[in-house]
């Protein structure tokens, strides 16, 4: 139940105070942060329910430049000018997410975000599996995406990319990959890989305040 929400908390890194939001379902993780706003020092870490987050996002679209946020160990309150949203928070301890963020992934791949998303979407159309598994074969200068289906056949896409390391292969859930590409604001996506069973780290070169972690399929 504690995974069904957004973990909102304050951290200090390199002497800089930040307000950070983290969400995970056990297979993937998203982290976004900002310089800590005034009054956020010592903010208690709370898990905001998913439904509350969705409502807050909807209200934020119509909000002005400033949103007031009040937190306690039991409740959270958003004030958007003429509207206010108050909710209980989830009673539980969020997992120690920091230890699962890859720090030593030394295989770095840079790829055009839109071209990658379109290629993944095309090959995934023939997938009959619930996981929508897409195999990524990465070699110097290229990535080959493959989906095999016993009934529908095989789909293959080849992409050019910026990578000059050793060849390797990994499989990922296509839907999870596309969810991340939807959030990349720039034209290029950066993927950092470790070993065959290590989580991949996905970064947006135009936004240093976001990170995405994705577990490969076995």
């Amino acid at each position: 139940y504690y995974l069904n929400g957004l973990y909102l908390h304050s951290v200090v890194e390199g002497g800089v105070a930040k307000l950070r939001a983290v969400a995970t379902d056990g297979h993937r993780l998203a982290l976004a942060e900002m310089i800590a706003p005034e009054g956020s020092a010592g903010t208690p870490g709370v898990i905001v329910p998913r439904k509350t987050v969705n409502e807050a996002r909807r209200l934020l679209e119509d909000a002005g430049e400033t949103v007031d946020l009040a937190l306690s160990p039991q409740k959270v309150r958003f004030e958007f000018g003429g509207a206010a949203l108050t909710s209980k928070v989830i009673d539980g301890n969020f997992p120690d997410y920091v230890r699962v963020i890859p720090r030593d992934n030394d295989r770095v791949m840079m790829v055009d975000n839109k071209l990658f998303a379109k290629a993944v979407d095309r090959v995934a159309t023939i997938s009959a599996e619930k996981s929508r598994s897409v195999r990524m074969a990465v070699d110097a200068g290229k990535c080959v995406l493959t989906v095999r289906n016993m009934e529908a056949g095989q789909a293959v896409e080849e992409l050019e990319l910026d990578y000059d390391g050793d060849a390797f292969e990994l499989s990922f859930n296509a839907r999870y990959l596309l969810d991340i590409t939807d959030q990349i604001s720039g034209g290029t996506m950066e993927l950092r890989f470790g070993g065959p069973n290590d989580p991949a780290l996905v970064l947006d070169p135009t936004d240093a305040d976001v990170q995405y972690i994705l577990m490969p399929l076995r």
Side-chain angles (χ1 to χ4, degrees), residues 100-131:
V100 305
I101 298 176
R103 302 297 182 190
D104 302 315
N105 286 11
D106 54 3
R107 297 173 173 177
V108 181
M109 169 181 130
M110 306 289 290
V111 64
D112 184 287
N113 185 58
K114 288 184 177 179
L115 293 180
F116 181 75
K118 289 179 179 178
V120 170
D121 192 42
R122 282 194 293 265
V123 297
T125 55
I126 73 162
S127 177
E129 304 173 37
K130 184 178 180 182
S131 68

Side-chain angles (χ1 to χ4, degrees), residues 66-147:
T66 302
V67 175
D68 290 332
L69 178 63
L71 296 172
S72 77
Q74 292 80 33
K75 290 185 179 181
V76 58
R77 178 179 174 85
F78 302 86
E79 291 192 11
F80 310 85
L85 174 66
T86 303
S87 168
K88 290 184 178 179
V89 299
I90 294 177
D91 183 17
N93 295 317
F94 201 77
D96 182 11
Y97 67 89
V98 175
R99 66 184 179 85
V100 305
I101 298 176
R103 302 297 182 190
D104 302 315
N105 286 11
D106 54 3
R107 297 173 173 177
V108 181
M109 169 181 130
M110 306 289 290
V111 64
D112 184 287
N113 185 58
K114 288 184 177 179
L115 293 180
F116 181 75
K118 289 179 179 178
V120 170
D121 192 42
R122 282 194 293 265
V123 297
T125 55
I126 73 162
S127 177
E129 304 173 37
K130 184 178 180 182
S131 68
R132 299 187 70 194
S133 175
V134 172
R135 190 73 175 170
M136 292 177 57
V138 181
D139 204 343
K142 69 176 183 178
C143 172
V144 178
L145 304 172
T146 305
V147 172

